[in-house]
DNA sequence: AAGTGTCA
DNA sequence: CATC
């Protein structure tokens, strides 16, 4: 039987996080097995690695990328690079599965024709976190950000356009997708220190996929 | 600078 | 708030 990969949550409404942002609870669940396979393949080609902030401090997550552009951080700063500094090779191709998932999710929030050219993969183990920040290394902020959560639950910190606004805490579960763009595109966000736990598929980790249009 | 440590 |  022919079935719609997105049917599980195709009819559910986004949980609003702002005028042009929302949480699509469980949106990626129908694709979970294919997503985990794709992540494994990506990590074989572009291994997980620990990045350093420009200040020289190690980040607590492990990172890799796929797509035309990969986000990288070191003492030179934050930037997108076309080649993996670890291997010298181009980043693995962005799987069509992921491209379509991101396009469908963006469409649910009113962003048509989203075309990701970068996917940052962050792996959190218990204790790992991501401080409040803006995604502002992309060449244009016209396209939204699409974030896919897999594995252990996390508290998403969802702030305002100004750093001093106290962020809301939103629990993100395996299969959840968050989309933000337009007036919400530069909102500060982060992830609270991951609590210990074991996920049936992923064990003691959370993997987040962040899809972006980084180039021209 | 998406970091941590420190001070109020 | 300091930090190649």
């Amino acid at each position: 039987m022919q079935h719609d990969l997105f049917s599980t949550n195709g009819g559910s409404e986004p949980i609003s996080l702002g005028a042009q942002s929302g949480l699509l609870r469980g949106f990626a669940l129908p694709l979970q097995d294919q997503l985990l396979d794709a992540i494994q393949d990506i990590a074989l080609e572009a291994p997980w690695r620990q990045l350093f902030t420009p200040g020289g401090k190690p980040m607590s997550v492990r990172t890799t990328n796929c797509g035309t552009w990969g986000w990288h951080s070191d003492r030179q700063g934050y930037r997108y690079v076309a080649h993996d500094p670890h291997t010298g090779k181009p980043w693995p191709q962005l799987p069509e599965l992921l491209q379509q998932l991101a396009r469908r999710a963006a469409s649910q929030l009113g962003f048509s024709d989203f075309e990701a050219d970068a996917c940052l993969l962050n792996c959190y183990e218990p204790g790992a976190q991501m401080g409040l920040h803006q995604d502002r290394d992309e060449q244009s902020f016209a396209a939204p950000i699409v974030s896919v959560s897999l594995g252990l639950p996390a508290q998403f910190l969802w702030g305002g356009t100004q750093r001093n606004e106290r962020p809301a805490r939103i629990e993100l579960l395996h299969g959840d997708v968050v989309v933000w763009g337009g007036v919400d595109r530069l909102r500060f966000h982060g992830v609270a220190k991951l609590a210990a736990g074991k996920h049936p598929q992923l064990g003691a980790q959370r993997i987040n996929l962040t899809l972006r249009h980084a180039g021209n």
Side-chain angles (χ1 to χ4, degrees):
Chain A
M1 146 191 157
Q2 177 76 21
H3 64 273
D4 179 357
L5 291 174
F6 296 88
S7 60
T8 298
N9 292 82
S12 74
E13 290 294 315
I15 297 166
S16 176
L17 298 178
Q20 298 185 85
S21 50
L23 163 56
L24 299 163
R25 190 69 86 187
F27 193 79
L29 274 181
L31 298 173
Q32 57 175 315
D33 292 341
Q34 293 160 82
L35 288 171
L36 295 177
D37 286 348
I39 291 166
Q40 295 280 41
D41 291 346
I42 290 162
L44 287 176
E45 230 183 299
W48 295 105
R49 82 291 306 270
Q50 186 171 37
L51 299 181
F52 292 81
T53 66
K57 305 294 181 19
M59 297 182 70
S60 59
V61 295
R62 295 217 170 239
T63 296
T64 188
N65 291 277
C66 64
T68 303
W69 299 102
W71 188 84
H72 186 70
S73 174
D74 59 20
R75 286 170 184 76
Q76 321 308 322
Y78 300 152
R79 63 202 181 277
Y80 284 92
V81 293
H83 295 261
D84 179 352
H86 188 81
T87 64
K89 300 186 302 186
W91 297 104
Q93 186 174 353
L94 199 155
E96 190 61 25
L97 167 82
L98 208 40
Q99 181 68 258
Q100 291 306 320
L101 172 64
R103 179 181 295 259
R104 294 289 298 265
S107 161
Q108 291 290 305
L109 271 296
F111 301 100
S112 56
D113 302 316
F114 176 56
E115 198 167 321
D117 63 5
C119 178
L120 171 64
L121 295 81
N122 281 138
C123 181
Y124 297 73
E125 291 180 3
Q129 61 183 96
M130 182 73 69
L132 268 191
H133 67 280
Q134 295 171 300
D135 288 11
R136 55 182 309 158
D137 302 316
E138 300 73 32
Q139 291 203 4
S140 158
F141 305 137
I145 304 289
V146 175
S147 167
V148 180
S149 292
L150 296 167
L152 287 178
Q155 296 287 327
F156 186 51
L157 308 175
W158 183 239
T161 307
Q162 304 255 76
R163 188 185 276 281
N164 61 8
E165 292 180 46
R166 179 193 293 268
R169 286 176 168 257
I170 295 145
E171 181 160 54
L172 295 184
L173 306 172
H174 178 74
D176 288 352
V177 178
V178 179
V179 178
W180 64 97
V183 298
D184 294 322
R185 175 62 178 72
L186 290 175
R187 281 172 72 142
F188 282 87
H189 57 282
V191 176
K193 184 191 274 212
L194 203 75
K198 285 276 199 287
H199 185 269
Q201 272 83 35
L202 279 149
Q205 60 180 356
R206 167 177 188 262
I207 294 177
N208 181 72
L209 315 176
T210 310
L211 292 125
R212 309 175 170 130
H213 189 91
N216 287 315

